[in-house]
Every structure is written in C-alpha cells, then in structure tokens.
Amino acid sequence: MRFSAFEILKQGLTGNKGWKPHWRSPEPKSHYDVIIVGGGGHGLATAFYLAKEHGITNVAVLEKGYIGGGNVGRNTTIVRANYGLEGNSQFYSHSLKLWENMEADFNFNAMHSQRGIINLFHSDGQRDAFARRGNMMISQGDDAILLDREGVREMLPYLDYEQTRFPIYGGLYHPRGGTARHDAVAWGYARGADMRGVDIIQNCEVQGIDIENGKVVGVQTSKGPIKCGKLGLVTAGRSSQTAAMAGMRLPIESHVLQAFVTEGLKPCVDHVVTYGMGHFYISQSDKGGLVFGGDLDFYASYAARGNLPMVEHVVEAGMTLMPMIGKARMLRSWGGIMDMSPDGSPIIDRTHIDGLYLNCGWCYGGFKAVPGSGFSMAHLMATGNHHAPAEKYRLSRFETGRGLMDEEATGAQHNLH
Ligand SMILES: Cc1cc2nc3c(=O)[nH]c(=O)nc-3n(C[C@H](O)[C@H](O)[C@H](O)COP(=O)(O)OP(=O)(O)OC[C@H]3O[C@@H](n4cnc5c(N)ncnc54)[C@H](O)[C@@H]3O)c2cc1C
C-alpha cells in the first residue's frame, strides 16, 4: 500500500479501516542469498538498497528485538554533513544527499527537517578550526557559513551572551543539517525493504555463525538455523559480540550514551545548536520537547541505560549556554550502546572469512550515516567492490596504522571520540 494524498482521503472517508501493517511478519525461510544481522537503521538500509539498487531481494534482516528498539530509535536525531577529513567528507556528503530524497524513495514520512545546525565557537583557535572545516565543506560541495557573534545572536537570541568564562565568538552554520524522526527512519526503511521482497524477522536473535572451509554458510538463531550465501553483521553496539561468533576480535568498545527530553514547549529552538566548550547539543522536536545530549558515560557497558553523574554534567552545560532551559521539566532520558572505534570513524568492509561483511564503529554519529552506510554496504555486498565514498572505511587500518581517520585528532582512545 502506497501513501498518497488520494489514499489518505480514501481512508478518511471509509473509517480508516483499510490501512495495512507497514511490513509483513514472515517466518524465516531455510535459505537466503543475503542475511543481515541487526534491524537497526544501518541493517535495514542495507537490505533496502540491496533490493532497490542491485535487485537482490532474497534477503532477510534478523533482529533480536523489535524494529526501532536499538540506537536508531534512541539517538538525538541530528543529521549533518560537516566533516573535514578526506573520506569522511565524501561519505557524509553522499549520505546527506540520500537523506534529501529518502522519504520519496521509501514512501514514508520520516519528518526530515533541514532546520540548520550551528556549531558555536568560543576562542580564536576554535574559530580558525571551524573556518578551515567550513572551507572543506564548501569545497566538497556542501554548505557552510561562518557567523560572527552578532550573526549568532540574531539567530539564537536565547543563548547567554554575557557569560565571561566561555564567551560566544561565533558559529559555523550548516543550513542543510537538521533532524529527522529517528524511529520513523527505521520504519521507512523496513517498509521500503519489505515492499521489495525483503523478509524482516523480529525477535530472532543470531546466536552462532556457521563457517565451512573459510566461508560463511549460515547462522544459528533463536528461530532455528538459516543458510545464506552472504552475511552482513550490522549490529552497532553489539558488534564485538556478533563478530566473536565468527572468531573475530574487533577494535571496538561499547559505551553508553544518554539522551534527554523535556516537556513540550512552544517552539523556541529553531535550529540544532552545539556548544563548543562542553559536550552539549540541543534541538526541539516537532512535539515541542527539547531534545539534548552530551558525553558518553565514560565506562564500557552493554547496558542501554546511563547514570546520574552524566545527567548532571549535561544539564550543567545546558544551563551555562542557555539558562532558560532551567525552567523546563525534564521528562525522559534513556541510553544507547555506542560502537566506539579507536579513531572515531566507522568500518564498512569484508572480513577474512569469505562471504562475511562488517558494518560498525559509528560512535556518536551513525544516525546521519544511515542512508550512506546502507548504500555503501549494499554496494560492497552486491558487487564485491568498495563504494567510492566509503572506500577508506577499511578494517585493516587498525592493523597497519595506515589510513586512520581521526576527525577530531583525539588519539587512539575509544571513549574520547
Ligand atoms: C543517545 C544517543 C544519541 C545519539 N545521537 C546521534 C545524533 O544526534 N546523530 C547521529 O548521527 N547519531 C547519533 N547517535 C548514534 C546513532 O544512533 C548510531 O550510531 C546508529 O543508530 C547505529 O546504527 P543502527 O541504527 O544500525 O544501530 P541499532 O539501532 O542499535 O541496530 C543494531 C541492531 O542489532 C540488533 N542486534 C544486536 N545483536 C543481535 C543479534 N545477535 N541478533 C540479531 N540482532 C542483533 C540490535 O537489537 C539492534 O536493533 C546517537 C546514539 C545514542 C545512543
């Protein structure tokens, strides 16, 4: 069933009784050409583009929980293409272009809103760094505008411009950046993949990987064994665990990241704003809640929940930047498990096991990468060749030390990326 103005009118006039589920709930078949483990954004997008771009439709996505229950439905929804490093820049630029057509592609409203992002800076050195980054974004074909303090004040009058410790010097404005409704992105890709014949199988945990003579031949699941020609591990925060089923030890650490939402307020924050002197980023959802986040909890964990010290840390940063936030009541917070890589950049690659592919290492920033990652992963799995924008996301860079992509020059410390 396709969504259209006509369909809405028809359903409205006939009691809204004809809407169908967005995807089927099939029992797993005994064999698929491709199995994707993980029904998060990246796994579903991979299945979608395998079907759409390459005509490979005998595909199953195996999800141990429910669609939208992982990080794809837990993030702070920021979408942007403001990277500076060769490789990252091309990849995120490609991903943002896919975002701009995505809803038409999968015929679903993901509430993608290009409301603009403003990264604040608070020193001369930071201004230089942002100016350099902005130039790189422009030379890549993306958009960036360097604002001075008055330029920022005009757009964001609610910030505290009187604070003396970290005065706001200006901001890098990225107009095409913005937000989207996170779980709707998962639902849209699930729906689009299902429409093209992909089986989406929820409550199906992969518990083992079958390898014969160096080639992957299938998986053991909570719904029984399933054979496959190719297997993609796309399990974000659980990547180390699923790769271990194939005897691999990944350079990934799993860490908790929390997000927070206030009660619904009248529209007051029109953009996405990030603080340059603390880890704090904020936007306002279409329901009116202020959605914000900060740093990792700073300990490795597989628990999708966080602790109070980080709540205090994030809220303090928020209060410093925009004291008005203190009047809002915080309603909800939650945590997600981040797949942190040692250089802060992801991995989209084949492995030493024939037919086994890997997609992980998205750190804080994998939501905006969903379309680009799915597109590149599908390309790799279908053709055997790396997709040009994701060419540099090789696993081997951690073995050889060549080609590391440390966007923030943080060093080889997972939790700092
Ligand atoms: C609080 C928070 C804020 C964030 N903010 C942003 C942001 O503003 N912008 C941004 O770009 N990114 C952000 N991110 C990061 C982004 O959400 C993630 O990088 C991205 O969603 C990860 O990819 P995914 O969607 O495929 O992950 P997931 O949705 O976690 O998908 C992985 C799936 O694999 C499944 N799985 C695991 N093991 C198995 C198994 N054995 N068998 C079957 N299935 C399995 C899991 O159940 C899960 O559903 C944020 C993350 C968090 C937690």
Side-chain angles (χ1 to χ4, degrees):
M1 170 185 257
R2 284 191 69 77
F3 287 116
S4 63
F6 172 73
E7 193 59 45
I8 291 172
L9 189 67
K10 185 177 131 198
Q11 293 298 335
L13 293 174
T14 53
N16 281 310
K17 297 214 174 83
W19 297 114
K20 303 248 167 32
H22 288 314
W23 57 86
R24 299 161 295 128
S25 292
E27 282 306 308
K29 294 192 271 189
S30 58
H31 176 273
Y32 290 94
D33 294 338
V34 177
I35 286 180
I36 302 296
V37 187
H42 294 248
L44 292 164
T46 302
F48 174 81
Y49 290 115
L50 275 170
K52 177 173 180 285
E53 300 294 322
H54 306 281
I56 300 174
T57 55
N58 186 22
V59 176
V61 177
L62 307 183
E63 166 53 49
K64 77 172 178 175
Y66 60 94
I67 297 303
N71 287 344
V72 71
R74 292 168 178 265
N75 57 69
T76 41
T77 78
I78 303 171
V79 176
R80 58 189 166 92
N82 57 356
Y83 282 67
L85 284 186
E86 175 84 17
N88 277 339
S89 181
Q90 288 84 350
F91 174 80
Y92 287 101
S93 180
H94 177 244
S95 193
L96 186 56
K97 289 187 186 102
L98 291 173
W99 273 101
E100 288 167 341
N101 283 316
M102 180 174 89
E103 289 161 305
D105 271 359
F106 54 44
N107 182 234
F108 195 76
N109 180 9
M111 296 163 80
H112 181 214
S113 156
Q114 294 185 292
R115 57 187 67 183
I117 294 182
I118 299 170
N119 300 121
L120 299 172
F121 51 80
H122 309 260
S123 69
D124 291 334
Q126 232 180 3
R127 180 199 293 123
D128 291 350
F130 275 121
R132 195 163 53 241
R133 178 179 294 245
N135 285 335
M136 284 166 173
M137 289 159 65
I138 290 167
S139 64
Q140 167 64 34
D142 292 313
D143 57 317
I145 300 168
L146 201 67
L147 301 173
D148 63 9
R149 180 182 162 92
E150 288 316 307
V152 173
R153 196 199 290 266
E154 214 169 283
M155 293 177 76
L156 313 175
Y158 50 82
L159 298 184
D160 180 2
Y161 293 89
E162 307 315 319
Q163 60 163 303
T164 49
R165 180 134 190 240
F166 300 122
I168 294 168
Y169 277 37
L172 185 63
Y173 177 34
H174 172 36
R176 280 168 63 233
T179 60
R181 173 159 176 173
H182 45 196
D183 39 14
V185 173
W187 301 332
Y189 274 118
R191 172 185 157 77
D194 176 88
M195 275 163 61
R196 289 167 173 81
V198 171
D199 282 356
I200 293 164
I201 302 167
Q202 301 180 81
N203 300 312
C204 181
E205 180 175 0
V206 171
Q207 297 165 333
I209 296 176
D210 299 331
I211 297 162
E212 286 173 10
N213 302 321
K215 181 174 180 355
V216 73
V217 292
V219 287
Q220 300 293 324
T221 80
S222 52
K223 293 190 183 230
I226 311 176
K227 298 236 169 283
C228 65
K230 292 179 181 173
L231 182 68
L233 300 181
V234 196
T235 50
R238 299 275 176 182
S239 296
S240 303
Q241 292 175 319
T242 48
M245 293 176 200
M248 293 173 64
R249 186 155 181 262
L250 295 185
I252 296 290
E253 282 186 13
S254 291
H255 285 261
V256 186
L257 179 67
Q258 299 190 60
F260 310 90
V261 179
T262 70
E263 61 190 327
L265 305 171
K266 284 186 182 171
C268 55
V269 177
D270 298 334
H271 309 86
V272 181
V273 183
T274 71
Y275 185 32
M277 277 294 159
H279 220 145
F280 179 80
Y281 35 90
I282 188 164
S283 64
Q284 186 166 18
S285 79
D286 290 351
K287 278 197 289 187
L290 300 179
V291 180
F292 55 95
D295 233 322
L296 297 174
D297 269 41
F298 285 122
Y299 50 86
S301 172
Y302 286 116
R305 59 176 182 272
N307 268 320
L308 287 174
M310 191 48 69
V311 179
E312 190 174 4
H313 182 82
V314 173
V315 170
E316 269 175 6
M319 285 293 292
T320 312
L321 187 64
M322 39 190 296
M324 74 165 186
I325 201 178
K327 292 197 175 155
R329 273 171 295 200
M330 197 150 81
L331 290 191
R332 293 183 289 133
S333 68
W334 60 84
I337 316 166
M338 315 305 310
D339 37 330
M340 306 298 294
S341 69
D343 64 355
S345 293
I347 299 162
I348 300 179
D349 207 352
R350 58 172 75 82
T351 68
H352 68 286
I353 298 163
D354 197 11
L356 182 65
Y357 298 80
L358 190 62
N359 177 315
C360 63
W362 294 99
C363 300
Y364 280 66
F367 180 59
K368 63 183 171 296
V370 161
S373 161
F375 196 98
S376 295
M377 181 77 172
H379 182 95
L380 177 64
M381 292 187 79
T383 66
N385 301 318
H386 286 270
H387 183 228
E391 169 73 34
K392 292 188 183 299
Y393 293 155
R394 309 274 177 132
L395 180 57
S396 61
R397 71 184 190 272
F398 300 111
E399 209 172 280
T400 62
R402 267 206 307 275
L404 292 172
M405 303 180 69
D406 184 353
E407 187 78 27
E408 293 174 5
T410 308
Q413 209 155 323
H414 299 73
N415 59 309
L416 296 183
H417 284 289

